[in-house]
Amino acid sequence: MSHSIAARYALRSLRRHSRRTMLSIFGIGLGCAICLFVIGWVRGERRMMMNAAAASGSGHFSIVPEGWIPIRTNDFRIDGWEGILARLRAEPRVRVATPRARVDALLAFGTQVAAIEMVGVDPRAEPLGNRLVRRVVAGRYLKAGDEEVTVIGEAVADRLRVEVGDPLMVTVSDHEGEMRSAMLRIEGIVATGSRELDATICHVALAQVARLTGRAGAGEIAVTLVDAREVEGFGGEVAAALPEEISLLTWDELRPELSAGVEVDEIWARLVVIIIMTVVFLGIASAQLAAVLERRREFGVLSALGMPGHRLLRVMSAEALLLGSAGGLVALLLGVPATWYVATFGVDFGKLLKMDSIAMSNILIDPIFHSDFGWWLVPLAFFLAVAATLLSSLYPAWYAIRTDPATALRVDH
């Protein structure tokens, strides 16, 4: 039996019980469409978290001194950081490269004090790579050449009861362990939309941290790429060119708790897909087995006429392929519009949670979640549908092949 004859025979068999066939196709399509939506949602979540981390100052990856990960100390500095920064900024795949140096500081105004991590930045690059400092509600952000000035978060200003123009006493520990103090004027106050994040912001010029601590240079360089998909490829090139005493960390290594949350969601998504496809698998297997039992006499006749088992298997496989292909089309018709809508317009969790912004691990997350959408939906839909139908037809096909012609053709059967 040729492939064309097997296909025509399978099509005739499916048309014989059109209502059952249509229900099977719809069931396959609906199950696969739900799987497409779930997979698109989780893929979109990972991309959103990566972009949120990058936009909140971490970059798509950061360059730090070797050995920084275990202790995450602010004392380390990058040797030759200026040359590395210049090469990164000359690379067209880099949107912005931002150097920083951090130090634990104590801010005081009158009797009010606040412990905070003070960050030395490049005033020209920092707003381009860090959305947290773009919304200045009073005064202005830092400019090149600023000295003895600082920009703080709104929550810090409220705690210290200060405003633009007020002096702040800043106390830090220098490279010899001695306490050093300086008087800094508040030049601007920023508001991220999250009180939690506002309480962590205290920016000064990079040179200011060097004067206070006696440690010159940058302790990290955050790199934001033009295309986030270049993280692995371009990041690997940069890592290979770095000296041994310097490391490259991707966003998920810098924010492991954020990455772990995404991985948990991905595990749940896989479980949901497995459960849905198992239900689809059992439903199709049941329908296929019922069809085989109804055609048992027919298969007995074919076997009696000399049809070998592998040709009978070809017929059953052709039926499964037709069902799976039709189910894949239905999955695209149902899943693509839903996934496209969420990818385009998103789901506003801000309204659902009655929150203007979502902050997590010093990251400002867009409250409107978007799923992923692309051509990957097409092959995935057909793969899920066809794989489910082919696997579910194995037992019915095995049962049909083992049909005894004498038993199937008995008059009283």
Side-chain angles (χ1 to χ4, degrees):
M1 182 180 290
S2 66
H3 291 289
S4 60
I5 296 176
R8 288 200 299 269
Y9 186 84
L11 183 61
R12 192 201 69 176
S13 300
L14 293 174
R15 292 175 60 184
R16 182 184 304 171
H17 297 282
S18 57
R19 183 177 301 177
R20 181 172 60 197
T21 300
M22 295 304 296
L23 287 174
S24 298
I25 291 173
F26 181 77
I28 297 167
L30 180 60
C32 293
I34 296 173
C35 292
L36 294 180
F37 183 84
V38 171
I39 294 171
W41 177 269
V42 174
R43 284 171 58 116
E45 181 185 8
R46 173 166 286 278
R47 185 182 62 187
M48 284 183 60
M49 291 301 179
M50 176 177 64
N51 291 335
S56 296
S58 295
H60 290 115
F61 60 80
S62 287
I63 295 172
V64 299
E66 181 68 30
W68 177 83
I69 294 180
I71 55 179
R72 292 181 179 255
T73 178
N74 292 327
D75 298 339
F76 290 170
R77 294 293 183 266
I78 301 173
D79 293 331
W81 69 275
E82 291 176 312
I84 297 173
L85 180 64
R87 290 193 294 272
L88 288 171
R89 287 179 171 175
E91 172 61 51
R93 288 174 286 185
V94 174
R95 183 186 300 276
V96 59
T98 308
R100 299 191 187 100
R102 303 175 185 268
V103 61
D104 293 325
L106 188 68
L107 307 182
F109 181 77
T111 60
Q112 306 298 318
V113 295
I116 198 169
E117 184 181 63
M118 188 168 67
V119 184
V121 301
D122 178 348
R124 292 169 296 187
E126 188 66 22
L128 301 176
N130 189 349
R131 63 185 291 190
L132 302 184
V133 298
R134 292 175 189 166
R135 185 185 172 202
V136 181
V137 295
R140 63 169 177 82
Y141 191 66
L142 301 172
K143 291 183 179 179
D146 277 347
E147 295 183 2
E148 311 301 328
V149 299
T150 183
V151 171
I152 59 176
E154 192 173 41
V156 179
D158 291 344
R159 179 174 180 179
L160 296 175
R161 301 176 186 174
V162 294
E163 57 187 21
V164 172
D166 287 341
L168 278 183
M169 176 65 71
V170 180
T171 303
V172 304
S173 176
D174 67 11
H175 67 291
E176 295 179 347
E178 300 293 331
M179 303 305 294
R180 299 279 296 274
S181 297
M183 194 69 73
L184 304 181
R185 186 182 73 256
I186 300 175
E187 196 66 39
I189 298 174
V190 300
T192 64
S194 166
R195 297 288 295 180
E196 177 186 352
L197 295 182
D198 289 346
T200 66
I201 296 177
C202 177
H203 285 195
V204 297
L206 197 62
Q208 185 69 56
V209 173
R211 286 194 291 269
L212 283 170
T213 63
R215 301 184 185 92
E220 66 182 79
I221 300 176
V223 181
T224 303
L225 303 180
V226 175
D227 188 349
R229 293 171 296 184
E230 293 279 352
V231 170
E232 293 186 5
F234 179 64
E237 296 177 18
V238 174
L242 292 174
E244 292 184 0
E245 63 273 11
I246 301 175
S247 299
L248 183 146
L249 303 179
T250 56
W251 73 274
D252 50 346
E253 293 173 308
L254 290 167
R255 307 287 183 179
E257 66 283 357
L258 200 65
S259 178
V262 176
E263 290 176 2
V264 169
D265 289 344
E266 289 177 343
I267 291 172
W268 279 108
R270 293 190 192 103
L271 290 175
V272 170
V273 170
I274 290 172
I275 292 171
I276 292 173
M277 295 310 298
T278 300
V279 173
V280 171
F281 169 82
L282 293 175
I284 301 171
S286 177
Q288 290 286 81
L289 184 58
V292 168
L293 292 174
E294 291 176 359
R295 297 151 58 194
R296 192 178 182 191
R297 183 180 295 272
E298 180 180 332
F299 289 142
V301 171
L302 293 175
S303 298
L305 293 175
M307 176 182 285
H310 70 272
R311 291 188 177 179
L312 195 57
L313 180 61
R314 185 185 299 172
V315 172
M316 297 294 296
S317 299
E319 291 184 18
L321 285 173
L322 290 173
L323 274 177
S325 300
L329 288 174
V330 173
L332 291 175
L333 291 175
L334 296 177
V336 167
T339 307
W340 173 86
Y341 180 87
V342 177
T344 304
F345 300 102
V347 177
D348 193 346
F349 280 90
K351 290 182 179 179
L352 296 176
L353 301 175
K354 297 181 180 179
M355 299 171 60
D356 295 330
S357 61
I358 301 174
M360 183 186 304
S361 302
N362 291 334
I363 297 297
L364 190 63
I365 301 173
D366 191 340
I368 302 178
F369 277 49
H370 296 267
S371 66
D372 190 22
F373 182 82
W375 286 106
W376 59 269
L377 289 165
V378 176
L380 182 59
F382 283 105
F383 171 77
L384 290 174
V386 173
T389 52
L390 283 176
L391 290 175
S392 61
S393 66
L394 291 179
Y395 176 72
W398 175 82
Y399 186 86
I401 292 172
R402 290 178 59 86
T403 299
D404 180 46
T407 305
L409 294 174
R410 282 169 49 189
V411 176
D412 59 345
H413 179 68

